[in-house]
Amino acid sequence: MFLVRPKRLFSRKREVTASSRHYVDRLFDLDPQKVLQGVMLLYLLQQETSSTELRTECAVVLGSLAMGTENNVKSLLDCHIIPALLQGLLLPDLKFIEACLRCLRTIFISPVTPEDLLYTDATVISHLMALLSRSRYTQEYICQIFSHCCKLQHWHSCGFKSLPQPLLCANGPDHQTILFNHGAVQNIAHLLVSTSYKVRMQALKCFSVLAFENPQVSMTLVNVSVDGELLPQIFVKMLQRDKPIEMQLTSAKCLTSMCRAGAIRTDDSCIVLKTLPCLVRMCSKERLLEERVEGAETLAYLIETDVELQRIASITDHLIVMLADYFKYPSSVSAITDIKRLDHDLKHAHELRQAAFKLYASLGANDEDIRKKIIETENMMDRIVNGLSESSIKVRLAAVRCLHSLSRSVQQLRTSFQDHAVWKPLMKVLQNAPNEILVVASSTLCNLLLEFSPSKEPILESGAIELLCSLTQSENLALRVNGIWALMNMAFQAEQKIKSDILRGLSTEQLFQLLSDSDVNVLMKTLGLLRNLLSTRPHIDHIMSTHGKQIMQAVTLILEGEHNIEVKEQTLCILANIADGTTAKELIMTNDDILQKIKYYMSHSNAKLQLAAMFCISNLIWNEEEGSQERQDKLRDMGIVDILHKLSQSSDPNLCDKAKTALQQYLA
């Protein structure tokens, strides 16, 4: 663990105190054993008998040590450096407080430091808020600490057994809420007009993480003013072209978060004329690679759900063509003589591709013309196909998202998707991927299985039924929905063999499991699947001859259960399909319980359910079919004809027409 001697130690006016020289020298020794002895600094830092000057030097040197490798930081964390430094903030000496904060800042910036260590004691945040007024250094470091320790997820175990148990519980408030409740907005807002650029910048970064996906913070920010100027106006000034790029980008992120949270309208001029153009500028070749990544990702988030912003972005500065350049890194090795440049390009190449895919996905989410422009961009489909098999999970996920967005286009499903056999790499992705990717990939597969998609046939042949049936058993709700949805699309107007394969793959037990799922989406898609399976007479009769008992049982359960109108309507439509079978209709006619339910729904207060029940009756009494007379007689004895007469007087034209048509069957 070798560290270069930090300049800061010797740029100060006073020399390192003689008593700490022994420990300082050991910190920069090549022998790891001696470096471990450097933890004595922590001991000195906490000793009340140590002079303030010595304690300050210890904090400075520990900060330098934390700037080394991640192992250095881990060692310091194991020695409880954070509680020691937080304790140091209670002393009155400003120089010592600043040194402790600087060291804390360095430690919290490290990826190995759990953010929750800042929240182990409820009094820490209050104290840090109070220290904000002490100096520009306390302002800079505290804002930086808050920015790095403000994560969306709830508290999780930090893995340091010997540390005190954090006060946050698994379902406690998240970091944003804690900081907000401790007055972060009010305490930090005035720092946006500080004379120090570093303070302004750290305050801005703090707001960008506080507001992210947080309506409460965003709605508060929009009404806060500093020196008579509202925060959105201050943010707009900060994203002007003459400001440093990091300031432009970070203020654009603040405005983006406020817009996505509903605090600023999507058609507000500060979004359409300021934020969006600024983010498009960040995607240009003139910007550094990391700036282009951040610009594209923020823009993708800004326009993700708004059609008009997607259209505006697509025609701003040739953005769609500009993004194609994101795939050209690293540049060909022959063109690079600078090895540092190659290393830099390689490092950012994954991030660039990920950002481009994300932005293309947002751009093409709704508009057919934009999708067409994206697909016509040079080698676009090849790039997506390559992206699906990249080693980086993040790039794979972004490529699948992009493909999903483009798969909403009927035209592209019939042309580009077929020309590039996109289904092959997609099926490969579905074989073995984390849930995050599986959810988007299976959504895309749902689109590729629509009846007009040429990919449907080869997907079926590649073993998709087994894969999709296994998804319906997932604990992940989105995967269950997508699995059953894709099967529903697959069953639409399908051959009898495919329908039989689906039923065999699902098993009766799993079908019942899905029909009793607590999620209404799963239930509706399962009913949709059943409805598609039970279409065309030969198929209805075949399926009901093998699975009739179980299907009738399932239908009874749903019609008796506490379900919404849509679920009951879909179930009655399944019954109407069964009633359209030649032999299958006998399963209804011999089931008095089901007949009584149909009768009940004919007189229901909801017209949709009445209409669906009437479809069942019409199919059962249709004159031209064998046995119609017996069926008509049985239903007349049940009082069905009386209900039909009543409904023929209905003010609802659909009900009235359907009832009259049914009555004609009795007269023919």
Side-chain angles (χ1 to χ4, degrees), residues 392-398 400 429-430 433-443 479:
S392 160
I393 284 183
K394 288 181 175 179
V395 177
R396 285 210 307 279
L397 177 59
V400 174
V429 167
L430 282 159
N435 278 0
E436 202 180 5
I437 291 179
L438 273 181
V439 169
V440 192
S442 53
S443 287
L479 287 179

Side-chain angles (χ1 to χ4, degrees), residues 542-650:
H542 176 76
I543 289 170
M544 292 307 287
S545 70
T546 54
H547 294 78
K549 188 182 171 188
Q550 296 93 327
I551 289 172
M552 294 303 285
Q553 203 179 333
V555 164
T556 308
L557 278 172
I558 291 169
L559 290 177
E560 284 176 352
E562 292 292 317
H563 294 291
N564 65 32
I565 298 297
E566 285 71 26
V567 168
K568 300 255 172 126
E569 181 191 16
Q570 188 81 301
T571 309
L572 287 167
C573 287
I574 290 168
L575 269 182
N577 283 13
I578 295 168
D580 193 37
T582 306
T583 55
K585 52 169 54 87
E586 285 311 306
L587 285 163
I588 297 177
M589 290 307 301
T590 54
N591 188 327
D592 287 344
D593 186 23
I594 284 284
L595 287 173
Q596 287 299 333
K597 284 181 170 53
I598 294 171
K599 180 183 174 183
Y600 164 77
Y601 283 108
M602 283 177 76
S603 304
H604 197 274
S605 57
N606 185 282
K608 281 183 178 178
L609 296 182
Q610 287 179 286
L611 205 56
M614 221 136 44
F615 271 110
C616 297
I617 296 297
S618 293
N619 286 345
L620 291 172
I621 64 175
W622 205 254
N623 251 327
E624 296 158 18
E625 290 163 17
E626 196 180 329
S628 61
Q629 191 59 55
E630 290 86 349
R631 290 193 292 274
Q632 285 182 5
D633 293 345
K634 181 170 182 176
L635 293 171
R636 179 189 279 112
D637 294 345
M638 279 178 62
I640 295 294
V641 176
D642 297 337
I643 298 172
L644 286 172
H645 276 298
K646 267 187 202 166
L647 290 171
S648 67
Q649 309 299 314
S650 169

